[in-house]
Amino acid sequence: MASPKDRFVTVYGRNPVIEVLDDPSLVVDKVVLAEGVRGHGIGEIIGLARDRGVPLQRASVERVKKLAGNGRQDQGVFADVVAPRMRPLADALDDVTLRRVLLLDGITTPANVGMILRTATAAGIDGVVVPRRGVASIDPLVVKASAGVAFRAPILKVAAAQALAAAGFHLLGLAADGPSSLFEATWPEHVAFVLGSETAGVGANVAEHVRSWVSIPMAGGVESLNVAAAAAVVCFELVRRTSP
């Protein structure tokens, strides 16, 4: 069953909510305020929401903390922003244009996830598969790192990464000790490049579905790249190969 989190990017905190309400290019589904919340920014949030016709709801403090997903930083308010290209992977698999995707595994640093979303969107990658667990949630920190691109990135939510393999995608893992060079390797039309965390790499539950491994050649004694930088190399190698 599709979750509301497969349709919206939830932005919490007073200044981030003001920013999205003040951006006419974004569609805000609703704003939720904690009961009794007051102080800096609350009046402006209420005014902006009313001016734009955005539904304004009240909920208990506990409910806001749960729905925002960050009880320490929600400041009693969150907004659900429509992400038109975000959808469950199961829905996207019916799309015949879905051929080249990135699969994130164990990447918990919001800055890395945000930068990967920005790069993949800029490169025209068909989708970035984000498991519901084990990867940083698409929150204000990810949005900031993506320079706002996260709202329109082709994010595909999935319960288990193995669904890609079951759908016939060739999972190609990126690893520092991969036996083949990214620039020389071949792959089929439907391919998912698996990017793991810099410390633990690709998790065992995903690695068992990886069909082949590639590496990015390094010089100067450098062992590996930051995962966001590695993703950029992969994305634009795909662009290079498909450009006329």
Side-chain angles (χ1 to χ4, degrees):
M1 180 182 296
S3 163
K5 291 188 178 296
D6 294 338
R7 299 175 49 230
F8 305 127
V9 171
T10 298
V11 175
Y12 53 77
R14 300 181 189 188
N15 287 337
V17 169
I18 289 172
E19 288 175 6
V20 299
L21 286 171
D22 209 27
D23 186 341
S25 70
L26 299 177
V27 177
V28 182
D29 182 75
K30 63 180 175 295
V31 173
V32 180
L33 293 170
E35 294 170 350
V37 68
R38 56 178 59 87
H40 168 73
I42 297 300
E44 185 175 0
I45 289 170
I46 293 172
L48 285 169
R50 287 176 175 168
D51 289 346
R52 290 193 56 181
V54 175
L56 192 62
Q57 302 176 7
R58 295 279 183 173
S60 68
V61 173
E62 293 74 19
R63 182 70 173 161
V64 168
K65 291 182 182 299
K66 181 178 180 180
L67 293 175
N70 192 317
R72 292 185 177 181
Q73 299 180 23
D74 63 65
Q75 298 180 315
V77 59
F78 72 85
D80 281 337
V81 182
V82 175
R85 299 182 69 194
M86 186 164 71
R87 52 184 171 163
L89 174 65
D91 293 350
L93 290 174
D94 294 331
D95 189 339
V96 295
T97 65
L98 187 72
R99 297 186 297 272
R100 306 169 306 160
V101 302
L102 303 183
L103 168 58
L104 310 190
D105 180 61
I107 303 174
T108 57
T109 304
N112 284 333
V113 174
M115 287 186 283
I116 290 170
L117 292 177
R118 184 179 184 185
T119 300
T121 304
I125 301 303
D126 299 327
V128 181
V129 182
V130 181
R132 293 195 178 99
R133 293 185 179 181
V135 174
S137 60
I138 312 302
D139 66 8
L141 296 176
V142 170
V143 171
K144 182 177 181 180
S146 75
V149 173
F151 292 124
R152 59 181 186 275
I155 300 168
L156 308 177
K157 293 292 193 73
V158 63
Q162 295 90 322
L164 269 174
F169 275 77
H170 180 102
L171 269 61
L172 195 157
L174 201 67
D177 58 353
S180 302
S181 164
L182 168 70
F183 306 120
E184 298 173 353
T186 59
W187 48 77
E189 184 179 25
H190 291 80
V191 61
F193 283 87
V194 185
L195 302 169
S197 73
E198 293 174 58
T199 53
V202 176
N205 61 328
V206 176
E208 64 179 296
H209 298 282
V210 172
R211 301 274 297 276
S212 55
W213 296 87
V214 296
S215 59
I216 297 172
M218 296 282 119
V222 177
E223 293 184 0
S224 64
L225 296 175
N226 164 277
V227 66
V233 175
V234 170
C235 287
F236 285 97
E237 173 62 8
L238 286 170
V239 170
R240 185 188 70 81
R241 293 199 188 196
T242 56
S243 297

